[in-house]
Amino acid sequence: MASLVRTVVVIALIGIIYYFNQNVINNKLEDWFATAPDKHLNIAKKAANNHAINECLKEIDIAIMEMEDIEVFSDNVSRDLIEKSIEDLQLLENHIQNHELNVDELNLVFAKGINSLAYTYLKISEDELRHDHEIKAVHSLKIVIDHLYNSMSFMKKKNIDDEKVLIKHIYSVIDSIQQTDNFDFSSLDRLFSEIQEIIAEEELKLKEQRAG
């Protein structure tokens, strides 16, 4: 009898460990997949600063392909934002190839591209919440935060402050998800509005930059 109990306990422990490892591994893979474009855009900026133009263009191309992969899981609004960001990246590549690299343009294009991905994962988190997948929704919100922090490396102080406020609001929503069974979806409206305002401001600055 004691042997049977030990066997049951061991099997249960193996199951718990397997379940834990599967979730940890899946989350790590999702984190890598979601933020891969950010990393390649950061490498591209460093290459541009070192006048390594070919490397810069290669890294932008990789980031574009990774954004296209994420686009597959996007809703219509998110897809439009990613498509516009890809167009901006391709236009930036043309400027770089024509020896017209402008650091301000590069920073705006990269920041806007990453923020379009942040919006995408914000939408994914909303969909997960509507299907009662709270744990997945929280994980997606943390990916949004990762994107926002990554985009800050391409921003000026005012925009960084805006993103810090947005991050604070996201943590508040995460707390709300974890503490209540009746989540108020209207609290997500503010997040969508804030990130759309940041992207719109970057779009306006980019247009002014290219017009000037």
Side-chain angles (χ1 to χ4, degrees), residues 103-148:
V103 175
D104 288 337
E105 179 192 11
L106 181 145
N107 284 329
L108 282 168
V109 171
F110 285 7
K112 192 162 77 72
I114 294 174
N115 281 326
S116 72
L117 299 176
Y119 181 97
T120 298
Y121 275 89
L122 183 57
K123 182 61 181 177
I124 289 172
S125 71
E126 181 188 42
D127 292 341
E128 288 167 339
L129 275 174
R130 294 196 183 279
H131 288 90
D132 297 322
H133 299 154
E134 288 85 359
I135 294 175
K136 288 183 178 180
V138 168
H139 184 244
S140 292
L141 284 172
K142 289 179 179 178
I143 290 175
V144 175
I145 292 171
D146 288 340
H147 279 307
L148 295 176

Side-chain angles (χ1 to χ4, degrees), residues 30-149:
E30 176 65 10
D31 292 343
W32 175 85
F33 175 78
T35 58
D38 309 15
K39 297 178 178 67
H40 285 285
L41 291 177
N42 189 50
I43 295 172
K45 179 178 179 179
K46 291 177 180 177
N49 289 338
N50 293 325
H51 306 289
I53 300 305
N54 288 337
E55 182 184 358
C56 176
L57 293 171
K58 182 191 75 174
E59 294 298 328
I60 294 175
D61 279 336
I62 294 172
I64 288 173
M65 288 187 289
E66 291 166 337
M67 290 171 73
E68 289 171 339
D69 290 337
I70 293 172
E71 190 178 2
V72 174
F73 304 96
S74 307
D75 70 319
N76 289 336
V77 176
S78 302
R79 192 173 298 114
D80 288 344
L81 289 173
I82 294 176
E83 278 295 319
K84 185 63 176 67
S85 294
I86 289 173
E87 290 173 8
D88 288 335
L89 285 166
Q90 290 169 336
L91 183 56
L92 175 66
E93 285 186 306
N94 290 337
H95 291 172
I96 294 172
Q97 288 170 337
N98 293 326
H99 308 288
E100 299 169 357
L101 173 62
N102 183 295
V103 175
D104 288 337
E105 179 192 11
L106 181 145
N107 284 329
L108 282 168
V109 171
F110 285 7
K112 192 162 77 72
I114 294 174
N115 281 326
S116 72
L117 299 176
Y119 181 97
T120 298
Y121 275 89
L122 183 57
K123 182 61 181 177
I124 289 172
S125 71
E126 181 188 42
D127 292 341
E128 288 167 339
L129 275 174
R130 294 196 183 279
H131 288 90
D132 297 322
H133 299 154
E134 288 85 359
I135 294 175
K136 288 183 178 180
V138 168
H139 184 244
S140 292
L141 284 172
K142 289 179 179 178
I143 290 175
V144 175
I145 292 171
D146 288 340
H147 279 307
L148 295 176
Y149 275 121

